[in-house]
Amino acid sequence: MGWGDLGVLGQPSKETPNLDAMAAEGMLLPDFYTANPLCSPSRAALLTGRLPVRNGFYTTNAHARNAYTPQEIVGGISKDEILLPQMLRKKGYVSKIVGKWHLGHRPQYLPLENGFDEWFGAPNCHFGPYNSSNRPNIPVYNNSEMVGRYYEEFQIDRKTGESNLTQIYLQEGLDFILRQTQAQQPFFLYWAADATHAPVYASKGFLGKSQRGRYGDAVMELDYSIGQILSWLRTLGIENNTFVFFTSDNGAALMSGPNESGSNGPFLCGKETTYEGGMREPAIAWWPGHIKEGTVSFQLASVMDLYTTSLALAGINPPDERPLDGLDLTPVLLNHSHTLQSRPIFYYRGNELMAVRLGQYKAHYWTWSNSWDELKQGINFCPGQEVPGVTTHEQKEHTLQPLVFHLGRDPGEKFPIRPLRLTHLLSHHRPQLTSPEPPSRA
């Protein structure tokens, strides 16, 4: 989903009443970022609290290329990484992932080998259908047992867009919450539905209901599901003891076309780019009785902060033998403090640092949307948003004279201002990086 897909952030199509209510009951974070503009590395960053260039989800076979783990790639999350559920287990938390994993499909990389106690979902996205022994359809697992495949036992109609997957994922999440509540067991639920990823799908009750075609229908169903989860917490009487955070893994994929892509609001470009549309995400924190209702924090924050923040809320010290990039947001969430406001945001594409944001200023050291070859094939990461000298189709370096934008005045990154050097940030950041081998050369 994109930043601009939520009504509370300006989407006029009225598809997200539950998320809008969640924001009204909690805290909206308009300056929240992913760690990479692509699925796999951003998810690795969420679960490790570390930049992809630290946790291995990047590739060195081409400059500024994002690492990705589709079915034919054999790599996955490093055994040296310490994932959030592994840490939460120290305090007795039971952890479940529902939906898309995307950190490796071979047995040693799957969720139950990396700290999760339960899993219902798939190792990869729902691409397909495939029909060959060399490339079978993506499997769906219930814990360690394969229970079917996409387009077979778990149908997705590519023509109509109909699929019941989100409803299945919702029931899995609700059942897990009920069982842990009845057992009086602390729990961590990572609910990772992927209906808004092309090929977009929704169940029959939502198809044709939105003003934005099939994509809007999928958004409506995800919004409904989140509303059901929050309502279930209230029904069970555990809402005041449950911290809930909503966000996305990357910006809306504008290259997917008008019926299968969302909105990144006023921001430039989308998924796979390090412009704002690719990395700024919708974000809502909800915890009745703890997070003040209707608050908005303009704190610069990152998906990696959820690792450190979750550990702080669980009373667990973070690993101290490795650098973490996530910060503890509890002062912001619980006290509405501004003590973290000076932290920078680093925009990586592959293992290249493309840009840095500090305060309202963003400096691009490299620009690149996508290649001329892709553009000639009709693949455009920035459709209708070409900005000369900014959305370049060749990788262009600006290290000696960075392109600088004031995001408060120019959120669309259209009008560079006088160069501003953030070299003190780079000189402090780069020596700290010790990059492991990436999980794949492909």
Side-chain angles (χ1 to χ4, degrees):
M1 289 177 68
W3 191 94
D5 282 328
L6 274 61
V8 71
L9 292 171
Q11 175 55 240
S13 57
K14 299 181 180 180
E15 296 156 359
T16 59
N18 293 289
L19 285 167
D20 298 346
M22 182 182 177
E25 296 167 0
M27 177 182 286
L28 183 69
L29 294 99
D31 290 287
F32 190 87
Y33 287 85
T34 185
N36 187 277
L38 193 65
C39 326
S40 298
S42 67
R43 291 161 192 261
L46 164 67
L47 291 174
T48 64
R50 287 151 56 85
L51 285 162
V53 74
R54 293 195 206 271
N55 65 40
F57 264 79
Y58 68 96
T59 185
T60 56
N61 73 341
H63 180 251
R65 180 185 170 194
N66 297 314
Y68 187 52
T69 58
Q71 194 169 8
E72 63 268 27
I73 290 179
V74 298
I77 190 71
S78 170
K79 61 179 176 55
D80 296 324
E81 292 300 313
I82 304 174
L83 275 62
L84 180 57
Q86 293 171 317
M87 293 295 296
L88 292 173
R89 186 175 284 169
K90 294 181 178 183
K91 283 293 182 78
Y93 280 76
V94 176
S95 299
K96 178 165 186 166
I97 171 174
V98 175
K100 177 178 168 183
W101 169 241
H102 223 190
L103 299 184
H105 72 273
R106 288 196 161 190
Q108 68 268 34
Y109 301 123
L110 294 178
L112 269 59
E113 297 298 320
N114 288 278
F116 283 96
D117 301 290
E118 298 184 22
W119 176 35
F120 187 94
N124 301 324
C125 197
H126 56 276
F127 293 125
Y130 305 119
N131 188 22
S132 73
S133 58
N134 291 330
R135 195 170 192 181
N137 284 317
I138 306 295
V140 176
Y141 286 86
N142 183 16
N143 296 324
S144 57
E145 178 187 1
M146 193 183 88
V147 291
R149 295 182 182 273
Y150 287 143
Y151 303 97
E152 297 175 25
E153 292 83 0
F154 296 89
Q155 278 293 317
I156 303 171
D157 189 319
R158 289 293 299 267
K159 184 177 180 180
T160 66
E162 183 178 347
S163 176
N164 206 36
L165 275 167
T166 301
Q167 292 301 307
I168 295 171
Y169 290 156
L170 172 58
Q171 291 305 313
E172 285 288 330
L174 297 178
D175 174 69
F176 175 74
I177 293 170
L178 175 62
R179 287 188 285 111
Q180 305 317 313
T181 303
Q182 290 175 334
Q184 298 185 333
Q185 186 77 42
F187 66 86
F188 167 51
L189 173 62
Y190 176 28
W191 197 76
D194 67 347
T196 52
H197 190 298
V200 172
Y201 62 80
S203 65
K204 188 175 183 179
F206 290 88
L207 283 175
K209 300 297 185 183
S210 79
Q211 300 177 41
R212 290 196 295 162
R214 193 176 298 174
Y215 182 89
D217 300 342
V219 170
M220 288 183 74
E221 187 166 16
L222 291 176
D223 175 79
Y224 165 82
S225 300
I226 292 161
Q228 290 295 297
I229 290 171
L230 299 184
S231 177
W232 193 227
L233 296 176
R234 291 190 181 98
T235 298
L236 296 173
I238 60 170
E239 73 275 21
N240 292 334
N241 198 32
T242 308
F243 172 67
V244 183
F245 200 95
F246 167 82
T247 190
S248 179
D249 58 350
N250 46 248
L254 303 184
M255 79 289 280
S256 296
N259 293 321
E260 298 224 318
S261 64
S263 169
N264 295 315
F267 304 122
L268 185 62
C269 300
K271 179 178 179 176
E272 298 209 42
T273 77
T274 49
Y275 306 106
E276 289 298 289
M279 292 192 59
R280 201 182 305 200
E281 308 304 327
I284 303 170
W286 185 90
W287 191 6
H290 300 270
I291 295 175
K292 186 179 178 182
E293 293 184 357
T295 51
V296 178
S297 173
F298 292 96
Q299 168 67 48
L300 296 189
S302 163
V303 69
M304 296 175 290
D305 299 339
L306 297 180
Y307 182 93
T308 316
T309 303
S310 297
L311 294 181
L313 292 175
I316 301 170
N317 293 325
D320 58 6
E321 83 288 0
R322 64 192 59 212
L324 294 178
D325 298 293
L327 301 181
D328 177 9
L329 292 179
T330 55
V332 175
L333 299 172
L334 305 182
N335 304 318
H336 207 47
S337 167
H338 299 285
T339 56
L340 308 179
Q341 267 193 334
S342 61
R343 69 91 61 92
I345 296 293
F346 297 103
Y347 302 70
Y348 273 90
R349 190 164 171 170
N351 62 347
E352 183 61 68
L353 180 60
M354 304 288 283
V356 177
R357 177 178 176 182
L358 186 64
Q360 293 291 349
Y361 294 97
K362 180 179 179 181
H364 287 267
Y365 298 96
W366 287 85
T367 53
W368 188 35
S369 56
N370 63 316
S371 69
W372 285 113
D373 287 342
E374 287 178 317
L375 194 64
K376 291 173 184 176
Q377 298 171 36
I379 302 170
N380 190 349
F381 293 173
C382 312
Q385 291 185 301
E386 298 288 343
V387 180
V390 179
T391 56
T392 54
H393 292 287
E394 296 173 345
Q395 296 183 20
K396 188 171 182 182
E397 186 174 8
H398 307 277
T399 302
L400 296 179
Q401 190 169 333
L403 288 181
V404 179
F405 299 90
H406 188 288
L407 295 177
R409 302 181 187 127
D410 179 23
E413 298 170 277
K414 293 179 174 62
F415 307 105
I417 61 177
R418 189 167 64 181
L420 173 77
R421 294 189 179 276
L422 301 178
T423 52
H424 65 290
L425 289 176
L426 301 187
S427 61
H428 177 70
H429 173 68
R430 281 183 166 140
Q432 294 182 332
L433 292 174
T434 53
S435 303
E437 284 297 307
S440 170
R441 296 291 181 183

